[in-house]
Amino acid sequence: GENVEQHPSTLSVQEGDSAVIKCTYSDSASNYFPWYKQELGKRPQLIIDIRSNVGEKKDQRIAVTLNKTAKHFSLHITETQPEDSAVYFCAASETYGGSQGNLIFGKGTKLSVKP
Amino acid sequence: NAGVTQTPKFRVLKTGQSMTLLCAQDMNHEYMYWYRQDPGMGLRLIHYSVGEGTTAKGEVPDGYNVSRLKKQNFLLGLESAAPSQTSVYFCASSYGASGGLHEQYFGPGTRLTVT
């Protein structure tokens, strides 16, 4: 089945710097890669996602890139702010014989943005 | 819309006790999921349902049972709680299969402690 590895597990940056979180996946048939943000004590919320037919997607200060050949995708946050501090999870969709399945999540990255 | 709600928010059980966690969604979603979140482990799928009256096992189903008698509700049961089931439990729902590019919406979580 699908396996998702996420690095780093913790990341500390200064306010205004950029942050990059990387994930790799094992199933070459996976076609959907969402990123979720979870603030302390809150529920995970989708912040951006990318489909396998797209190499990059941007939404204001966040962007996601996908390299299907290497089977990895990354989250980029520019001009970080203290409110970006949270745990970020990547995920990849499972496939079963061509059918679409569930999400497999990475273990998360705790991002701390220091003022 | 309330979105996805969970009952209760907190619960302390003694080893061997049973309980049921209730998840409700008002978005007319077909798919519903139960995850557990443990420190450093990300979100792991326990059971899921692709429609009313159907359930299926996820990655970590042992010790749990589920039921989906109504489309809007998804119940998670612990028949004989064990300390290893101490965790934060999240319910989620989606219009279609996540592999089919449908966002999962999460509930606020239930913090369960088994002593």
Side-chain angles (χ1 to χ4, degrees), chain A residues 31-34 36 38 41-47 49-52 87 89 93-96 99-108, chain B residues 2-5 31 33 35 37 40-45 48 57-59 90 97-109 111:
Chain A
N31 68 347
Y32 177 59
F33 308 91
Y36 282 80
Q38 186 180 27
K42 300 290 181 64
R43 73 189 76 190
Q45 291 191 297
L46 180 72
I47 55 171
D49 56 16
I50 192 167
R51 305 176 184 187
S52 60
V87 178
F89 293 98
S93 60
E94 279 191 308
T95 57
Y96 300 107
S99 299
Q100 302 307 315
N102 300 311
L103 291 178
I104 300 298
F105 286 84
K107 294 184 177 180
Chain B
V4 181
T5 58
Y31 286 62
Y33 315 83
Y35 293 93
Q37 184 176 38
M41 296 298 292
L43 292 156
R44 292 184 292 170
L45 185 64
Y48 65 100
K57 294 180 180 180
E59 180 186 357
F90 284 99
S98 293
L101 316 177
H102 294 286
E103 177 182 354
Q104 289 190 20
Y105 295 83
F106 283 82
R111 185 173 294 275

Side-chain angles (χ1 to χ4, degrees), chain A residues 24-82:
Chain A
T24 61
Y25 62 98
S26 60
D27 185 354
S28 58
S30 290
N31 68 347
Y32 177 59
F33 308 91
W35 286 88
Y36 282 80
K37 175 183 180 182
Q38 186 180 27
E39 297 177 355
L40 188 62
K42 300 290 181 64
R43 73 189 76 190
Q45 291 191 297
L46 180 72
I47 55 171
I48 195 167
D49 56 16
I50 192 167
R51 305 176 184 187
S52 60
N53 60 347
V54 176
E56 182 176 3
K57 184 177 179 181
K58 288 184 179 180
D59 183 3
Q60 299 182 334
R61 295 186 299 107
I62 61 174
V64 58
T65 58
L66 171 65
N67 184 326
K68 288 181 62 181
T69 302
K71 289 189 285 187
H72 66 71
F73 56 112
S74 300
L75 177 71
H76 305 253
I77 305 175
T78 58
E79 301 173 16
T80 54
Q81 302 168 2

Side-chain angles (χ1 to χ4, degrees), chain B residues 11-74:
Chain B
R11 185 72 186 268
V12 178
L13 286 179
K14 293 184 178 179
T15 298
Q17 289 184 321
S18 62
M19 77 163 295
T20 301
L21 283 67
L22 171 63
C23 176
Q25 53 92 7
D26 61 2
M27 297 176 282
N28 201 34
H29 285 169
E30 289 292 336
Y31 286 62
M32 296 188 74
Y33 315 83
W34 275 107
Y35 293 93
R36 60 178 290 172
Q37 184 176 38
D38 303 294
M41 296 298 292
L43 292 156
R44 292 184 292 170
L45 185 64
I46 304 171
H47 287 279
Y48 65 100
S49 168
V50 302
E52 181 179 316
T54 72
T55 63
K57 294 180 180 180
E59 180 186 357
V60 289
D62 293 343
Y64 305 95
N65 56 77
V66 289
S67 63
R68 182 98 182 269
L69 298 180
K70 294 183 179 181
K71 184 177 183 178
Q72 64 269 32
N73 295 338
F74 195 28

